[in-house]
Amino acid sequence: GFEEKMAKPIVAVTMGDPAGVGPEVILKALAHPAVRKACRPLVLGDWEVLNRTRRGRAHYPKLVLWERGKTRSENTGAIPVLCLSSLSGQQSRPGHPSKACGEAAYRYIKAATELVLTGVADAMATAPISKRVLQLAGHRYPGHTELLAELTHAQEVRMMLMGGGLRVVLVTVHLPLVRVARELTRRRIRVTLELAHRALRKYFGISRPRLAVAAFNPHAGEEGIFGQEEKKVILPAVREAKRRGIQARGPLPADSLFYQAARGDYDAVVCMYHDQGLIPLKLLHFFGGVALTLGLPIIRTSVDHGTAYDIAGK
């Protein structure tokens, strides 16, 4: 009925890099009945680029320009698009990103964030951008997460990546491996545990989340023979988190821990560095992996893949 229709959340979908796979991935996803059943999508992107991508593909959904304050044309089944750039075919050639693409991608993210912060939309889902192209346009951010943290004034943010059988939360993300040990601090680990705990309660309805904490060194340091990080940094952080009522276990040797986590023994695994969490996740969920940014005042999910310039437009 009408009530049910009104209850569906509005999800602002950002088109990502116009020269990447974003436009086609969005149209493909929006052709799925399951997506339409779950939410009312509002695409923030480029009307021309989306229509060029749609051309000759009958199964892609129809698009309609979105006007602020207008009620959604639910019955037509067309997807509303908030047009924020008008790139020429030359500027947005698939696989050939330009400075204009970086500027456009930035605009979509900024506008989507504002829509969610002001309650026009309920959440945002982002297609991939390229850090290099974003910076080419003069926006000096390592990526989406840092930009969103600034736009929403969030102090601490972390990435949760998940599939049907595993959730991982990263303490450090895009760092050279040689720097990870230096960047691991008790506070950083404790904050990660707190954000993971809060997110699992709030977004997943798990009243007492079970968190596993991966060790940094092989065999969890083997009594300090293979490194001191477990004793000096990770264990104290886990103890602090426990005192704050968080159910956390660790540091546990990462190799066997992931087997247990994938079996369902834990609700999430807190990982010390990028590949520690991403290798098991992508091994299990190469297709269908999703990223959720923790610590923002808004819900923001993302694909766990990149712009894929090599196959864009193909």
Side-chain angles (χ1 to χ4, degrees):
F2 182 70
E3 287 299 316
E4 201 179 327
K5 250 183 188 156
M6 292 310 293
K8 275 197 288 189
I10 295 169
V11 178
V13 182
T14 59
M15 201 179 80
D17 192 318
V21 287
E24 56 205 285
V25 167
I26 287 172
L27 290 170
K28 268 185 189 171
L30 296 181
H32 267 271
V35 173
R36 305 298 293 277
K37 240 170 116 167
C39 69
R40 289 181 287 164
L42 164 61
V43 178
L44 286 80
D46 191 300
W47 179 255
E48 293 298 323
V49 172
L50 288 165
N51 278 294
R52 281 197 290 273
T53 309
R54 248 191 103 237
R55 208 164 289 153
R57 298 235 164 66
H59 63 286
Y60 281 173
K62 287 189 167 54
L63 305 172
V64 59
L65 281 168
W66 183 72
E67 292 169 62
R68 217 173 266 264
K70 272 264 178 80
T71 47
R72 240 50 90 250
S73 45
E74 278 280 329
N75 42 13
T76 67
I79 302 283
V81 175
L82 174 52
C83 184
L84 294 163
S85 66
S86 37
L87 300 175
S88 67
Q90 193 53 37
Q91 285 173 313
S92 63
R93 221 164 81 231
H96 298 84
S98 61
K99 184 178 164 183
C101 285
E103 184 51 48
Y106 173 80
R107 246 183 253 165
Y108 312 149
I109 299 161
K110 195 171 186 309
T113 308
E114 279 160 14
L115 288 181
V116 185
L117 285 173
T118 55
V120 176
D122 301 295
M124 68 189 275
T126 60
I129 59 169
S130 148
K131 188 158 67 231
R132 188 182 64 79
V133 179
L134 188 67
Q135 299 195 356
L136 197 66
H139 301 290
R140 302 243 164 264
Y141 298 94
H144 262 121
T145 311
E146 295 78 8
L147 168 54
L148 288 162
E150 188 171 297
L151 290 173
T152 59
H153 309 292
Q155 297 304 307
E156 294 279 4
V157 287
R158 297 290 186 274
M159 232 39 225
M160 174 186 278
L161 295 109
M162 59 192 143
L166 183 65
R167 298 186 193 99
V168 300
V169 185
L170 306 177
V171 176
T172 66
V173 191
H174 296 133
L175 282 179
L177 207 44
V178 292
R179 271 182 51 204
V180 174
R182 291 208 301 276
E183 304 273 344
L184 286 179
T185 62
R186 290 181 191 188
R187 185 179 179 281
R188 206 163 176 171
I189 296 165
R190 192 200 76 233
V191 168
T192 309
L193 281 159
E194 286 170 353
L195 290 175
H197 175 81
R198 212 174 302 160
L200 289 165
R201 288 184 54 135
K202 190 173 169 186
Y203 300 135
F204 298 92
I206 301 167
S207 56
R208 291 214 65 206
R210 299 161 304 160
L211 297 174
V213 182
F216 177 60
N217 296 297
H219 304 188
E222 190 89 61
E223 304 296 316
I225 302 167
F226 301 153
Q228 297 290 322
E229 284 78 14
E230 284 71 24
K231 271 184 178 167
K232 293 185 171 166
V233 186
I234 305 174
L235 187 60
V238 171
R239 285 184 175 145
E240 279 174 33
K242 277 181 168 166
R243 280 199 292 273
R244 296 173 186 221
I246 294 168
Q247 201 175 331
R249 284 198 60 198
L252 302 166
D255 52 3
S256 47
L257 158 58
F258 280 107
Y259 167 73
Q260 294 157 350
R263 196 175 61 182
D265 295 1
Y266 302 102
D267 298 305
V269 182
V270 169
C271 303
M272 297 303 126
Y273 55 95
H274 183 278
D275 286 10
Q276 185 176 53
L278 272 280
I279 292 170
L281 185 92
K282 292 201 176 181
L283 180 64
L284 291 174
H285 306 296
F286 192 77
F287 296 101
V290 173
L292 169 68
T293 312
L294 312 185
L296 298 175
I298 62 175
I299 297 175
R300 178 261 171 158
T301 58
S302 171
V303 293
D304 78 339
H305 58 73
T307 48
Y309 293 131
D310 54 328
I311 56 167
K314 295 177 185 172

